[in-house]
Each structure stands twice: as C-alpha cells, then as structure tokens.
Amino acid sequence: MLTALTLTFGLAFTDHVGLDGDYNEINPNIELSYDRFSLGAYKNSFGDPSFYVGYTVYQGWMDVDVGLVTGYSREVMPYIKLEKQIADNVSLFAIPAWSGNSGSNVGISVGINFTWAALGQ
C-alpha cells in the first residue's frame, strides 16, 4: 500500500526555555510529507521564514525527526525534533535551541502544534 502525499497547514505556539531574548512564539507552518519524508516552511523564532527538509528516523511512542533548516545564524543548519501526537491534529514537540553563533546560550523550544490537512490523511 502506498503512503498518501499529505499537505498540512499548522499553527504552533512555542516557549523558549533557557534562552535569553525576545522570540516570536506563534509560528504558522505548512508541510508536504510522504512516508517518513517532509518538506516545509514556517515563521521562525526571529519572525523570519524558515524552510526545512526532514526525515522521521524513529516512529513510536514519540517520533524523532532529523533534517536541515534555513533562516537562522547559518544559511543551513541541522535540526532534531521530538514530537508526540496527542490527538488527530494536535502534537507536542521539543527542539534543542541556541542563540547566537557561540552556542553559549543553550535551551529548548517546546510547543504545541495544531494542523489542518488540505490533501491526504
């Protein structure tokens, strides 16, 4: 059986734990996914657009995604995201984060994401 191509629109509400600074904590997002692969865009913590490509390396009680993302201190950066689905269109997530180029201010971005499917599912 083929996995459906899925397009979702989402709205994430985040908190930046352990990080100093003023961050955007409302993050609209869009994602196109197929099987374990994803491609998407969102308004990041600095209010800028970010684009990403990712792969779910583990699916279980909690999913683990890895990939590459743009829109931060470097043109392209690696990311890892832990995500737990708590309802059909609602998930909790945690992403390690740091501010600045030195990496001295390390924390975690945690949040809740609400999604609406436009295609698939």
Side-chain angles (χ1 to χ4, degrees):
M1 182 175 134
L2 292 176
T3 302
L5 185 65
T6 304
L7 176 65
T8 55
F9 296 93
L11 187 60
F13 298 92
T14 60
D15 189 20
H16 296 77
V17 180
L19 297 172
D20 295 332
D22 209 10
Y23 298 100
N24 171 46
E25 300 198 344
I26 299 174
N27 311 94
N29 56 81
I30 184 170
E31 181 176 279
L32 184 63
S33 60
Y34 179 79
D35 196 22
R36 291 180 179 224
F37 296 95
S38 59
L39 176 68
Y42 61 95
K43 184 176 180 182
N44 71 27
S45 300
F46 302 113
D48 297 324
S50 281
F51 301 93
Y52 66 91
V53 59
Y55 181 76
T56 304
V57 295
Y58 175 78
Q59 290 178 310
W61 180 81
M62 181 177 286
D63 292 351
V64 179
D65 296 344
V66 296
L68 298 172
V69 64
T70 67
Y72 294 98
S73 60
R74 296 189 178 119
E75 285 186 36
V76 178
M77 298 178 64
Y79 79 86
I80 185 169
K81 176 176 74 170
L82 306 175
E83 188 167 21
K84 171 67 176 165
Q85 201 76 27
I86 60 171
D88 284 345
N89 297 330
V90 182
S91 62
L92 301 175
F93 63 89
I95 303 167
W98 58 93
S99 63
N101 292 326
S102 67
S104 60
N105 192 4
V106 177
I108 189 167
S109 177
V110 295
I112 187 167
N113 192 42
F114 300 90
T115 58
W116 297 268
L119 169 71
Q121 289 186 339

